Amino acid sequence: EPGSGDGTNNECVKWNDKIWIAYTTQSYETGNCGWYGCRVARMSDSRVMEFGHGRSGQSFYVRPRGGSSSGSGCVSYGDEVFLASTQESYKTSNCGWYGCRVFHYVVNDLGIFTHGRLAEEAGGVYFTEG
């Protein structure tokens, strides 16, 4: 839920946490754009990650590579992560790890949400320091 953390307690992002991705620095609800400012990630109707007003943003689950042993504790810089828009924390029978809407980078600065098994084949994204 937006605004549930104040960003001041230095907690780490843990595996399986829900996070919001913002290009802006606001950690509060702005009057003109909503939570976290005017450039907050969401999955578009065409399953592309896009950025817009926080009012239309969405959170994503931070998952490890399916079946790996790194599914607990803090995510570290350099870790491969899979961003899922649905709550499945297991391998689904129809779409693979983490369900049918898992983010992966495709080409030319474009990333899409697709079946978990396809995201696993393509690889995740990496958690890096800003």
Side-chain angles (χ1 to χ4, degrees):
E1 157 172 332
S4 60
D6 63 10
T8 61
N9 56 9
N10 293 323
E11 287 187 22
C12 67
V13 172
K14 294 181 177 76
W15 293 107
N16 303 307
D17 276 355
K18 284 176 77 172
I19 64 166
W20 293 78
I21 300 170
Y23 185 72
T24 49
T25 59
Q26 289 87 2
S27 60
Y28 52 87
E29 186 174 13
T30 65
N32 56 335
C33 295
W35 280 102
Y36 311 120
C38 298
R39 295 296 172 261
V40 180
R42 74 178 190 103
M43 180 179 66
S44 73
D45 293 340
S46 58
R47 297 189 330 229
V48 172
M49 183 179 283
E50 65 182 15
F51 288 79
H53 287 191
R55 280 185 204 84
S56 62
Q58 79 181 85
S59 59
F60 302 97
Y61 291 91
V62 178
R63 307 287 193 201
R65 179 171 282 280
S68 76
S69 60
S70 63
S72 64
C74 296
V75 178
S76 298
Y77 292 124
D79 283 349
E80 180 183 39
V81 300
F82 290 83
L83 300 173
S85 69
T86 57
Q87 64 185 5
E88 289 86 4
S89 60
Y90 51 89
K91 187 174 188 177
T92 65
S93 60
N94 56 336
C95 295
W97 281 102
Y98 313 128
C100 300
R101 295 297 176 261
V102 180
F103 180 81
H104 77 92
Y105 177 81
V106 181
V107 66
N108 297 332
D109 297 328
L110 176 67
I112 63 169
F113 289 86
T114 187
H115 291 190
R117 79 172 133 270
L118 299 175
E120 287 268 346
E121 291 170 10
V125 294
Y126 290 87
F127 191 68
T128 62
E129 192 168 6

